[in-house]
Amino acid sequence: MILTDGEILSQMERGHIVISPFKRSSLGTNSYDVHLGTRLAQYTHNELDAKKDNPVHYFDIPEEGFVMQPSELYLGVTEEYTEAHRHVPFLEGKSSVGRLGIDIHATAGKGDIGFCNSWTLEISVKKPVRVYSGMPIGQLIYFEASGDILVPYNHKPTAKYAQKSHGPVASMMYQNFGHKNTAGFRV
């Protein structure tokens, strides 16, 4: 079940959902619009290695905007810091952004219960397009969860993206290699 605007506000009053900064004008009928933060990052090597900590270059979007190029991967971040303590947050692109040929995530659209952070965006574009800090970039949709929450994301010892960040966070896939999961299998 997807939460409506009224239920999102009710869950915020209870502290089950946190959105900061919160703008009432960004609350849709059943979603909340998030905005592109000021920091972007790009990997500095053309070839990435899943077993390595790939270096990235961070930079701020200038006031006149920044032109993203096709065949490049940009890591962005939402202006908003969010917390979801009882609901499953999903991040989707806005249709206006999609109609400009901007994809805001490659695979990571679902957050976990207990995710408390800004959202890193995996941005790619179909054509060169100028983007601006503060522009609406996506929308959060909250789903009601069923059952007991045994270990929220922010309490998992293996949670790689639980440390609070105000900028984009590069892949930490390399941390999976050489570690065994709780079932004893290599991940």
Side-chain angles (χ1 to χ4, degrees):
M1 198 163 39
I2 297 173
L3 301 189
T4 63
D5 51 0
E7 190 58 23
I8 291 170
L9 290 172
S10 176
Q11 294 300 321
M12 289 180 70
E13 288 174 12
R14 292 183 181 121
H16 296 164
I17 292 175
V18 174
I19 302 171
S20 179
F22 176 80
K23 300 176 197 159
R24 182 67 173 83
S25 61
S26 294
L27 184 62
T29 305
N30 56 301
S31 63
Y32 184 84
D33 287 350
V34 292
H35 303 82
L36 183 60
T38 59
R39 299 282 282 164
L40 292 175
Q42 283 186 280
Y43 289 101
T44 59
H45 292 63
N46 286 334
E47 182 179 305
L48 303 178
D49 188 332
K51 285 189 173 183
K52 293 183 179 175
D53 185 4
N54 297 283
V56 293
H57 165 70
Y58 293 91
F59 58 97
D60 289 332
I61 298 172
E63 191 173 313
E64 67 274 9
F66 175 78
V67 179
M68 292 185 167
Q69 299 295 327
S71 75
E72 293 288 333
L73 172 64
Y74 301 92
L75 299 178
V77 66
T78 59
E79 274 185 0
E80 291 82 4
Y81 166 86
T82 68
E83 296 181 7
H85 298 289
R86 299 204 179 275
H87 302 88
V88 180
F90 272 73
L91 177 65
E92 293 295 337
K94 292 186 63 57
S95 63
S96 297
V97 170
R99 291 171 189 174
L100 291 172
I102 302 171
D103 293 322
I104 66 164
H105 63 77
T107 61
K110 178 192 69 64
D112 287 313
I113 295 172
F115 178 76
C116 302
N117 217 335
S118 300
W119 290 70
T120 293
L121 310 170
E122 305 128 4
I123 305 172
S124 59
V125 298
K126 305 290 186 269
K127 299 180 81 159
V129 61
R130 187 175 299 273
V131 297
Y132 300 88
S133 174
M135 68 182 269
I137 195 76
Q139 53 191 340
L140 282 173
I141 303 162
Y142 293 92
F143 286 82
E144 197 162 305
S146 176
D148 294 333
I149 302 161
L150 300 179
V151 183
Y153 182 79
N154 57 338
H155 291 173
K156 286 183 180 256
T158 57
K160 295 186 293 286
Y161 305 104
Q163 185 174 349
K164 291 183 183 173
S165 171
H166 296 290
V169 178
S171 173
M172 294 187 198
M173 172 62 79
Y174 65 92
Q175 292 182 7
N176 291 346
F177 290 92
H179 299 289
K180 292 185 178 178
N181 65 19
T182 57
F185 300 105
R186 288 199 175 274
V187 271

PDB file of all heavy atoms in Angstrom, residues 149-161:
ATOM      1  N   ILE A 149       9.988  -5.817  12.083  1.00  0.00           N
ATOM      2  CA  ILE A 149      11.299  -5.403  11.575  1.00  0.00           C
ATOM      3  C   ILE A 149      12.325  -5.934  12.566  1.00  0.00           C
ATOM      4  O   ILE A 149      12.395  -5.468  13.708  1.00  0.00           O
ATOM      5  CB  ILE A 149      11.376  -3.871  11.457  1.00  0.00           C
ATOM      6  CG1 ILE A 149      10.273  -3.362  10.544  1.00  0.00           C
ATOM      7  CG2 ILE A 149      12.756  -3.437  10.961  1.00  0.00           C
ATOM      8  CD1 ILE A 149       9.969  -1.889  10.711  1.00  0.00           C
ATOM      9  N   LEU A 150      13.103  -6.915  12.166  1.00  0.00           N
ATOM     10  CA  LEU A 150      14.075  -7.518  13.075  1.00  0.00           C
ATOM     11  C   LEU A 150      15.342  -6.684  13.185  1.00  0.00           C
ATOM     12  O   LEU A 150      15.848  -6.469  14.284  1.00  0.00           O
ATOM     13  CB  LEU A 150      14.396  -8.948  12.633  1.00  0.00           C
ATOM     14  CG  LEU A 150      13.196  -9.905  12.585  1.00  0.00           C
ATOM     15  CD1 LEU A 150      13.628 -11.284  12.112  1.00  0.00           C
ATOM     16  CD2 LEU A 150      12.515  -9.979  13.938  1.00  0.00           C
ATOM     17  N   VAL A 151      15.877  -6.247  12.055  1.00  0.00           N
ATOM     18  CA  VAL A 151      17.094  -5.432  12.074  1.00  0.00           C
ATOM     19  C   VAL A 151      16.968  -4.342  11.019  1.00  0.00           C
ATOM     20  O   VAL A 151      17.111  -4.607   9.826  1.00  0.00           O
ATOM     21  CB  VAL A 151      18.368  -6.276  11.784  1.00  0.00           C
ATOM     22  CG1 VAL A 151      19.618  -5.412  11.889  1.00  0.00           C
ATOM     23  CG2 VAL A 151      18.456  -7.483  12.709  1.00  0.00           C
ATOM     24  N   PRO A 152      16.690  -3.097  11.441  1.00  0.00           N
ATOM     25  CA  PRO A 152      16.633  -2.008  10.452  1.00  0.00           C
ATOM     26  C   PRO A 152      18.019  -1.762   9.839  1.00  0.00           C
ATOM     27  O   PRO A 152      19.044  -2.081  10.441  1.00  0.00           O
ATOM     28  CB  PRO A 152      16.157  -0.810  11.260  1.00  0.00           C
ATOM     29  CG  PRO A 152      16.248  -1.179  12.686  1.00  0.00           C
ATOM     30  CD  PRO A 152      16.413  -2.650  12.791  1.00  0.00           C
ATOM     31  N   TYR A 153      18.014  -1.207   8.644  1.00  0.00           N
ATOM     32  CA  TYR A 153      19.259  -1.004   7.892  1.00  0.00           C
ATOM     33  C   TYR A 153      20.324  -0.290   8.711  1.00  0.00           C
ATOM     34  O   TYR A 153      21.490  -0.692   8.704  1.00  0.00           O
ATOM     35  CB  TYR A 153      18.955  -0.216   6.601  1.00  0.00           C
ATOM     36  CG  TYR A 153      20.180  -0.013   5.746  1.00  0.00           C
ATOM     37  CD1 TYR A 153      20.646  -1.040   4.946  1.00  0.00           C
ATOM     38  CD2 TYR A 153      20.865   1.198   5.755  1.00  0.00           C
ATOM     39  CE1 TYR A 153      21.780  -0.872   4.158  1.00  0.00           C
ATOM     40  CE2 TYR A 153      21.989   1.374   4.975  1.00  0.00           C
ATOM     41  CZ  TYR A 153      22.454   0.336   4.184  1.00  0.00           C
ATOM     42  OH  TYR A 153      23.578   0.507   3.416  1.00  0.00           O
ATOM     43  N   ASN A 154      19.952   0.763   9.428  1.00  0.00           N
ATOM     44  CA  ASN A 154      20.944   1.553  10.156  1.00  0.00           C
ATOM     45  C   ASN A 154      21.514   0.817  11.369  1.00  0.00           C
ATOM     46  O   ASN A 154      22.411   1.332  12.028  1.00  0.00           O
ATOM     47  CB  ASN A 154      20.373   2.916  10.564  1.00  0.00           C
ATOM     48  CG  ASN A 154      19.120   2.809  11.400  1.00  0.00           C
ATOM     49  OD1 ASN A 154      18.412   1.807  11.380  1.00  0.00           O
ATOM     50  ND2 ASN A 154      18.811   3.863  12.125  1.00  0.00           N
ATOM     51  N   HIS A 155      21.040  -0.386  11.660  1.00  0.00           N
ATOM     52  CA  HIS A 155      21.589  -1.190  12.757  1.00  0.00           C
ATOM     53  C   HIS A 155      22.309  -2.433  12.262  1.00  0.00           C
ATOM     54  O   HIS A 155      22.794  -3.218  13.073  1.00  0.00           O
ATOM     55  CB  HIS A 155      20.480  -1.582  13.728  1.00  0.00           C
ATOM     56  CG  HIS A 155      19.949  -0.403  14.486  1.00  0.00           C
ATOM     57  ND1 HIS A 155      18.863  -0.481  15.298  1.00  0.00           N
ATOM     58  CD2 HIS A 155      20.348   0.889  14.535  1.00  0.00           C
ATOM     59  CE1 HIS A 155      18.613   0.706  15.831  1.00  0.00           C
ATOM     60  NE2 HIS A 155      19.501   1.555  15.355  1.00  0.00           N
ATOM     61  N   LYS A 156      22.354  -2.647  10.957  1.00  0.00           N
ATOM     62  CA  LYS A 156      23.041  -3.812  10.396  1.00  0.00           C
ATOM     63  C   LYS A 156      24.548  -3.566  10.401  1.00  0.00           C
ATOM     64  O   LYS A 156      25.008  -2.543   9.897  1.00  0.00           O
ATOM     65  CB  LYS A 156      22.597  -4.074   8.952  1.00  0.00           C
ATOM     66  CG  LYS A 156      21.226  -4.665   8.840  1.00  0.00           C
ATOM     67  CD  LYS A 156      20.914  -4.957   7.375  1.00  0.00           C
ATOM     68  CE  LYS A 156      19.545  -5.535   7.281  1.00  0.00           C
ATOM     69  NZ  LYS A 156      19.542  -6.952   7.065  1.00  0.00           N
ATOM     70  N   PRO A 157      25.330  -4.498  10.932  1.00  0.00           N
ATOM     71  CA  PRO A 157      26.781  -4.305  10.916  1.00  0.00           C
ATOM     72  C   PRO A 157      27.365  -4.311   9.500  1.00  0.00           C
ATOM     73  O   PRO A 157      28.439  -3.776   9.274  1.00  0.00           O
ATOM     74  CB  PRO A 157      27.319  -5.477  11.746  1.00  0.00           C
ATOM     75  CG  PRO A 157      26.206  -6.448  11.872  1.00  0.00           C
ATOM     76  CD  PRO A 157      24.927  -5.720  11.608  1.00  0.00           C
ATOM     77  N   THR A 158      26.648  -4.880   8.538  1.00  0.00           N
ATOM     78  CA  THR A 158      27.132  -4.943   7.158  1.00  0.00           C
ATOM     79  C   THR A 158      26.610  -3.813   6.277  1.00  0.00           C
ATOM     80  O   THR A 158      26.885  -3.799   5.085  1.00  0.00           O
ATOM     81  CB  THR A 158      26.717  -6.290   6.525  1.00  0.00           C
ATOM     82  OG1 THR A 158      25.286  -6.397   6.614  1.00  0.00           O
ATOM     83  CG2 THR A 158      27.379  -7.467   7.226  1.00  0.00           C
ATOM     84  N   ALA A 159      25.883  -2.867   6.841  1.00  0.00           N
ATOM     85  CA  ALA A 159      25.309  -1.762   6.060  1.00  0.00           C
ATOM     86  C   ALA A 159      26.428  -0.823   5.606  1.00  0.00           C
ATOM     87  O   ALA A 159      27.020  -0.114   6.407  1.00  0.00           O
ATOM     88  CB  ALA A 159      24.274  -1.011   6.877  1.00  0.00           C
ATOM     89  N   LYS A 160      26.725  -0.831   4.310  1.00  0.00           N
ATOM     90  CA  LYS A 160      27.838  -0.043   3.769  1.00  0.00           C
ATOM     91  C   LYS A 160      27.501   1.438   3.617  1.00  0.00           C
ATOM     92  O   LYS A 160      28.394   2.265   3.563  1.00  0.00           O
ATOM     93  CB  LYS A 160      28.254  -0.614   2.413  1.00  0.00           C
ATOM     94  CG  LYS A 160      28.825  -2.016   2.484  1.00  0.00           C
ATOM     95  CD  LYS A 160      29.354  -2.483   1.144  1.00  0.00           C
ATOM     96  CE  LYS A 160      28.325  -2.690   0.110  1.00  0.00           C
ATOM     97  NZ  LYS A 160      27.478  -3.849   0.215  1.00  0.00           N
ATOM     98  N   TYR A 161      26.235   1.773   3.510  1.00  0.00           N
ATOM     99  CA  TYR A 161      25.855   3.147   3.206  1.00  0.00           C
ATOM    100  C   TYR A 161      25.083   3.800   4.352  1.00  0.00           C
ATOM    101  O   TYR A 161      24.250   4.665   4.134  1.00  0.00           O
ATOM    102  CB  TYR A 161      25.052   3.186   1.902  1.00  0.00           C
ATOM    103  CG  TYR A 161      25.803   2.548   0.758  1.00  0.00           C
ATOM    104  CD1 TYR A 161      25.465   1.279   0.308  1.00  0.00           C
ATOM    105  CD2 TYR A 161      26.876   3.198   0.154  1.00  0.00           C
ATOM    106  CE1 TYR A 161      26.166   0.679  -0.736  1.00  0.00           C
ATOM    107  CE2 TYR A 161      27.585   2.606  -0.878  1.00  0.00           C
ATOM    108  CZ  TYR A 161      27.221   1.343  -1.317  1.00  0.00           C
ATOM    109  OH  TYR A 161      27.930   0.767  -2.330  1.00  0.00           O
TER     110      TYR A 161
END
